[in-house]
Amino acid sequence: MSAPPLPAPARTEAAVRGGRAWLGLAALLYLAISLLLQRRVLGDFDGSAIGRLSTDPTGFTWWLAHTAHALTTGTNPLVTDLQHYPVGVNALWNTAVPLLGVLLAPITFTAGPAAAFNTGMVLGPVVSGVAAAAALGGIVRSRAERVTAGGLYAFSPFVLAHLQSGHLNLVWAVLPPVLLALAHRLFVRDLRRPWLLGALTGLALALQAWLYTQTLAVGVLMLVVLALVLAVRYPHRAAARLPALLKAGFACLVVFAVLAGYALYLVLAGPARPRGPLRSPEYGSADLANTLLPTWLTAIRPVPAPEMQGNLGEQGGYLGVAVLLLIVLAVPACGTAARVAAVTGGVAWLLALGPQLFVAAEPTGVPLPWRVVLGVPLLGEIEPVRLQGVVTLAVAVLVGLALDRFPRPVALVAILAVVSWLPADAQRTTATAAPAFPQLAGQVVETWPRITSDWYGGADPLRAQIASGFGYRLTGGYFLGSDADHPVLIESPWNRYQAGAAWSELVAGPWRGFGHLPAPDADAAARDLRATGTTVVLVVPPPGHDPSPVLDWTRRVTGSAGVPLEGAWVFPLAATLQR
């Protein structure tokens, strides 16, 4: 029978202050790095947004602005008909980040929603890095090594990819290190207060539910994997801890149910939720080639990266030769903590590859373990590539251990691993300027061009709605959801007005010779608009485009000559514009 653990020595007030001070210094260091990487937005903090890969920065900015708007109007920020009217949108099935929307609301109110988005993008890696450095307190002795490991996690290839995509929800990668710290106390250290630790775990999971539910699912999955790894490694200790762990699990469930029960309801049974699979299971699979080859977001690139599975925002799985060599050396040399980190990270890496193996964007037909997860409710909706964040944390743990206490050759390889992940000075931005239409207050608006999920400019009409203070509703939208006729939507479906507008542009341009084809039915298009409650059509001509064909078509549909307004045209259907 093993001896009972020794009581922890009392900490002096000076020691406590010292413990807080080093985390504060780490935060300042990470903040300096984050500001350096994102310096392109600093001179125009509300006129540009971090990220240039997709239209997602627009989506996140809209949700931040909408949350602030809901706080001042007393409306529900989690179910809204400001997009996709009259059906509406379920925030918990979208990247609404309501927790950040509340926390950043003072910035939204004072500096603008784009400034709030940029603030979140700058601070996300900082908070994540501090959480990682703090989580290593029971694993890595040296504070300097913890800061190094935390910085590696904060600015890893995974985070860089999502910074470039404008994925505010994923650059706040706080849950994995928080769960690591809690799991270390639950599974490894002296479990004296299981109820408290369970409650804290429930609190962490509940807060994540209000940030991004997919990361919540990833965290729960990997917490189970870590528990199984430790149970296999220490079966007798696991059996002895089981009664206390059951208490902790019960406390966790109670706290989570109280704090995140409504979020869970919205996901499982809420209105306008998707009623089928969102994407192909292989859409979010990692590419094996990315394990060895970085994208242009990493400073040191031995060879140009080939085409890889997914878009750039999901190509954050780079490990590289130095990291792989570190794993080989650290596992035998760095003790149990290194072995547990390597096995847990290895499981996450394998699962991140998805249901079949992709190499340089080519499917190989080789089946992989993620197939087992596909049929599991909620877990099956995870994009497996998102598990790369857990792999990154495992690498950070190994680097911290290798630098802290193990042989010089291993520490040298750890330094090489850190250098190999240095970010390139390659972050891009998106312009956020948009016209405001306060004259449309109280209207239900159909826009042309329509709102789409197109990566560049598809969601721009949402920016005009933000600039107008959410004074009007939109029949279109960029969201995940459903309606009576479509079990899954990623944008509002086409109607006959939009089809006619597209037809008018085609026969006036690339299909000029096909003008003899029968024109769409304007009366049917008007019926479609009225069926969605539309009162106004807003045409915002793109720069360099002749708006005449669409304007003529819209006049036929609405019976209105149209009113020029702020570089756009407004066509009333059934309501009089406020003047």
Side-chain angles (χ1 to χ4, degrees):
M1 183 174 180
S2 60
L6 295 174
R11 300 183 68 193
T12 65
E13 185 178 346
V16 172
R17 287 198 303 268
R20 294 169 182 166
W22 78 268
L23 281 176
L25 292 174
L28 290 175
L29 174 62
Y30 301 155
L31 179 61
I33 296 172
S34 190
L35 289 172
L36 179 64
L37 287 175
Q38 309 302 345
R39 66 186 184 279
R40 293 172 180 83
V41 300
L42 299 182
D44 191 16
F45 213 51
D46 194 46
S48 59
I50 293 169
R52 186 71 182 106
L53 179 61
S54 71
T55 199
D56 286 346
T58 299
F60 282 106
T61 303
W62 189 93
W63 281 109
L64 292 176
H66 170 260
T67 301
H69 171 74
L71 291 175
T72 58
T73 58
T75 56
N76 188 348
L78 303 173
V79 180
T80 176
D81 63 0
L82 288 173
Q83 283 191 63
H84 194 40
Y85 182 86
V87 177
V89 179
N90 183 327
L92 264 290
W93 273 99
N94 289 269
T95 53
V97 291
L99 177 61
L100 291 181
V102 172
L103 295 176
L104 295 173
I107 299 174
T108 305
F109 290 135
T110 56
F117 170 79
N118 288 330
T119 300
M121 292 291 284
V122 168
L123 292 182
V126 177
V127 179
S128 302
V130 170
L136 293 177
I139 302 170
V140 176
R141 292 174 299 190
S142 168
R143 291 173 180 172
E145 275 67 46
R146 284 182 240 161
V147 172
T148 301
L152 192 68
Y153 178 71
F155 303 101
S156 66
F158 176 82
V159 172
L160 291 179
H162 291 293
L163 283 169
Q164 184 61 42
S165 300
H167 289 165
L168 179 61
N169 55 339
L170 290 167
V171 302
W172 279 77
V174 181
L175 183 66
V178 169
L179 289 183
L180 172 63
L182 290 167
H184 189 252
R185 289 185 173 274
L186 286 166
F187 303 142
V188 178
R189 297 178 66 178
D190 183 26
L191 187 55
R192 295 180 178 180
R193 294 181 287 180
W195 296 106
L196 176 60
L197 289 174
L200 290 174
T201 304
L203 174 62
L205 296 176
L207 291 175
Q208 183 61 55
W210 295 113
L211 180 59
Y212 183 49
T213 53
Q214 193 170 135
T215 300
L216 169 65
V218 168
V220 171
L221 174 63
M222 293 313 300
L223 190 61
V224 171
V225 169
L226 178 58
L228 291 175
V229 170
L230 289 169
V232 171
R233 177 66 180 84
Y234 300 107
H236 298 297
R237 184 181 298 179
R241 283 175 173 260
L242 186 58
L245 288 174
L246 290 175
K247 295 177 184 177
F250 179 76
C252 173
L253 290 175
V254 169
V255 171
F256 180 82
V258 171
L259 297 180
Y262 183 53
L264 200 60
Y265 156 74
L266 289 175
V267 170
L268 297 177
R273 69 190 186 281
R275 304 191 304 273
L278 299 178
R279 299 182 177 96
S280 164
E282 295 173 350
Y283 171 83
S285 299
D287 195 311
L288 183 62
N290 193 203
T291 301
L292 292 174
L293 298 172
T295 67
W296 49 266
L297 297 174
T298 299
I300 301 175
R301 301 185 296 278
V303 296
E307 181 181 356
M308 291 186 283
Q309 169 71 359
N311 59 70
L312 179 67
E314 305 295 353
Q315 294 171 5
Y318 175 59
L319 296 179
V321 174
V323 169
L324 295 176
L325 180 59
L326 172 67
I327 295 171
V328 171
L329 294 175
V331 168
C334 297
T336 300
R339 289 191 284 273
V340 171
V343 172
T344 306
V347 171
W349 173 82
L350 184 61
L351 293 176
L353 293 173
Q356 76 160 312
L357 184 65
F358 282 83
V359 181
E362 293 296 325
T364 64
V366 177
L368 294 174
W370 188 257
R371 289 178 181 268
V372 178
V373 181
L374 292 179
V376 180
L378 297 183
L379 290 181
E381 293 291 347
I382 296 174
E383 294 175 56
V385 69
R386 304 287 170 84
L387 283 117
Q388 291 172 334
V390 178
V391 180
T392 296
L393 182 59
V395 171
V397 173
L398 290 172
V399 166
L401 288 169
L403 292 175
D404 183 40
R405 63 178 78 177
F406 295 106
R408 183 172 298 176
V410 180
L412 178 60
V413 174
I415 293 172
L416 293 176
V418 172
V419 171
S420 72
W421 276 16
L422 288 177
D425 183 21
Q427 292 298 309
R428 298 177 180 176
T429 63
T430 300
T432 64
F437 301 106
Q439 300 90 337
L440 300 182
Q443 305 294 329
V444 177
V445 178
E446 171 80 21
T447 66
W448 185 262
R450 67 190 299 269
I451 304 172
T452 72
S453 58
D454 290 350
W455 279 10
Y456 300 108
D460 281 355
L462 296 181
R463 294 194 180 278
Q465 189 188 36
I466 296 170
S468 304
F470 294 101
Y472 57 85
R473 290 174 169 81
L474 291 167
T475 58
Y478 170 48
F479 60 92
L480 291 172
S482 64
D483 61 21
D485 300 318
H486 304 85
V488 176
L489 290 169
I490 59 173
E491 58 189 44
S492 295
W494 284 78
N495 58 39
R496 281 176 284 192
Y497 165 75
Q498 295 167 353
W503 175 89
S504 68
E505 288 188 330
L506 287 172
V507 298
W511 289 10
R512 187 178 297 275
F514 293 86
H516 61 281
L517 294 177
D521 186 339
D523 290 336
R527 288 195 296 272
D528 278 2
L529 293 180
R530 290 193 170 90
T532 59
T534 300
T535 59
V536 165
V537 175
L538 174 65
V539 178
V540 184
H545 285 238
D546 177 12
S548 300
V550 172
L551 296 178
D552 291 342
W553 162 250
T554 307
R555 291 184 181 106
R556 289 173 52 202
V557 172
T558 63
S560 168
V563 179
L565 182 67
E566 302 294 336
W569 285 82
V570 175
F571 298 84
L573 265 75
T576 302
L577 286 177
Q578 296 181 9
R579 297 185 183 278

